Amino acid sequence: MSQVSGASAPLPRRPFLPRALPYLLSLPALLVCVGILIPFGTAVWYSLERYNLSMPYLRGFIGLRNYTGLFTDPDFWNTIRVSLTYTVSTVVLELLLGLGIALLLRERSRLNNIISIALLMPLMTAPAIAALMWKLMTNPGFGVLSWLISLLGVTNFKWASSPHTAMFTVVLVDIWVYTPFMMILLLAGLRSLPQQPFEAARLDGVNAGFVFLRITLPMLTPFLFTAVLFRTLDSIQQFDIIYAMTQGGPGNSLLVFQVRAYLEFFSYTNVGRSAAILMVLWAITYVLSQVFVRQWTKLRERAHGVA
């Protein structure tokens, strides 16, 4: 009988490609992460500098002075107020309209499918193009909407050219563009809900209001949180609709974060101050996203009986 060696035979090495495959699959995500972090880190550094393109010889590190200058500037607090007003107005109205339309189109039928597809058309329009289209329609001189409201006895309505009605106008455009997003997300949520509770309520003769408040709404809450999260983060960073219609005016009535940062950079060439504004916006969106995600996680755990 042959003597068995005490040393085990070496395992054969796997080919290179199977060993490298996990790293190759994660490479695109790594490249995206690096592509995000490099501009982000650059913006953080610029926000800590005195950096004005018209006076490059004064460039230097100044720490948090750009931030202290912002928070002691009344115009910046006006920017926060305008941005929050715009965000709350658009998100609340789009949520209510989107939920109402989704409830009307809840039943699966060919007509409802056609209507839901037709309602997605504004979402397929670039926001800047939609803003320019609405700018023409709301022109006080020849706009079709100005003519229509004149038939109702409303004359000389200034739309986006007056600080008193500019916010109403851009919110109206935002609602027209983004309500279909809310609608299609909530419609998908409604159609995915289990039907057993609704069938039981129908057999027991429960009225529609009770079914909506006690059955539909609680089960739809995760979808509502998701829709509100996406639209809140998008709306507080709004740029194209407002800039295409008013460039932040009249005056500073629509000077939201993104428009103010854009003007600081391209009009006043103040790179440091523009970067500081964007960092404040990033901090606000980060806090909001964390709050929404935590609430969504609690709702999911409660739905699964963990909490």
Side-chain angles (χ1 to χ4, degrees):
M1 185 174 63
S2 61
Q3 185 178 4
V4 178
S5 174
S8 59
L11 296 174
R13 290 177 60 85
R14 291 192 302 166
F16 171 76
L17 187 59
R19 286 186 289 115
L21 186 60
Y23 302 99
L24 293 175
L25 292 176
S26 61
L27 184 60
L30 178 62
L31 293 176
V32 170
C33 184
V34 171
I36 292 173
L37 290 178
I38 290 178
F40 180 79
T42 304
V44 171
W45 178 253
Y46 284 165
S47 71
L48 302 175
E49 285 190 317
R50 182 195 295 111
Y51 187 9
N52 195 312
L53 296 178
S54 62
M55 295 179 288
Y57 49 86
L58 293 178
R59 181 177 179 179
F61 182 80
I62 58 172
L64 299 176
R65 291 184 195 173
N66 283 323
Y67 295 97
T68 57
L70 284 177
F71 288 108
T72 55
D73 184 2
D75 288 339
F76 181 70
W77 288 105
N78 176 70
T79 294
I80 294 178
R81 180 187 62 81
V82 171
S83 299
L84 294 179
T85 301
Y86 181 85
T87 301
V88 172
S89 301
T90 53
V91 172
V92 170
L93 293 173
E94 288 164 13
L95 178 65
L96 294 176
L97 288 172
L99 179 59
I101 297 171
L103 289 171
L104 292 175
L105 301 178
R106 180 177 181 176
E107 297 298 327
R108 296 178 182 272
S109 67
R110 181 174 298 180
L111 178 61
N112 285 350
N113 291 336
I114 293 174
I115 293 174
S116 61
I117 293 173
L119 291 176
L120 289 177
M121 298 301 287
L123 194 60
M124 301 177 188
T125 306
I129 301 300
L132 293 175
M133 179 180 69
W134 276 80
K135 189 174 183 178
L136 292 174
M137 293 194 302
T138 56
N139 186 285
F142 56 81
V144 63
L145 291 181
S146 298
W147 174 75
L148 287 175
I149 65 172
S150 69
L151 299 179
L152 302 176
V154 181
T155 58
N156 199 28
F157 193 75
K158 297 297 185 180
W159 296 101
S161 58
S162 169
H164 303 293
T165 55
M167 178 66 75
F168 165 79
T169 305
V170 294
V171 167
L172 186 63
V173 178
D174 195 291
I175 289 172
W176 183 81
V177 174
Y178 290 110
T179 296
F181 172 80
M182 288 283 201
M183 179 270 296
I184 199 66
L185 190 59
L186 297 179
L187 181 60
L190 283 170
R191 290 184 175 179
S192 67
L193 297 180
Q195 295 302 306
Q196 291 84 354
F198 300 100
E199 294 172 356
R202 193 180 304 115
L203 291 175
D204 292 339
V206 180
N207 64 72
F210 185 89
V211 170
F212 174 74
L213 292 176
R214 296 300 182 90
I215 300 177
T216 305
L217 207 55
M219 290 195 295
L220 194 64
T221 301
F223 297 93
L224 294 172
F225 263 89
T226 303
V228 170
L229 171 62
F230 281 121
R231 281 302 303 134
T232 299
L233 298 183
D234 189 43
S235 186
I236 201 170
Q237 302 176 68
Q238 180 56 248
F239 173 79
D240 35 17
I241 290 177
I242 293 176
Y243 190 80
M245 291 200 73
T246 68
Q247 291 78 48
N252 59 358
S253 59
L254 289 176
L255 212 57
V256 294
F257 280 109
Q258 292 276 31
V259 175
R260 185 180 178 89
Y262 177 89
L263 294 177
E264 287 285 353
F265 191 104
F266 289 99
S267 297
Y268 313 130
T269 65
N270 195 337
V271 179
R273 192 177 178 88
S274 175
I277 293 171
L278 292 178
M279 287 301 101
V280 173
L281 175 60
W282 171 83
I284 293 174
T285 55
Y286 177 79
V287 170
L288 289 175
S289 63
Q290 290 298 310
V291 170
F292 275 109
V293 168
R294 288 179 181 178
Q295 293 299 318
W296 185 87
T297 304
K298 289 180 181 179
L299 287 171
R300 187 182 63 176
E301 290 176 350
R302 188 179 306 163
H304 287 79
V306 176

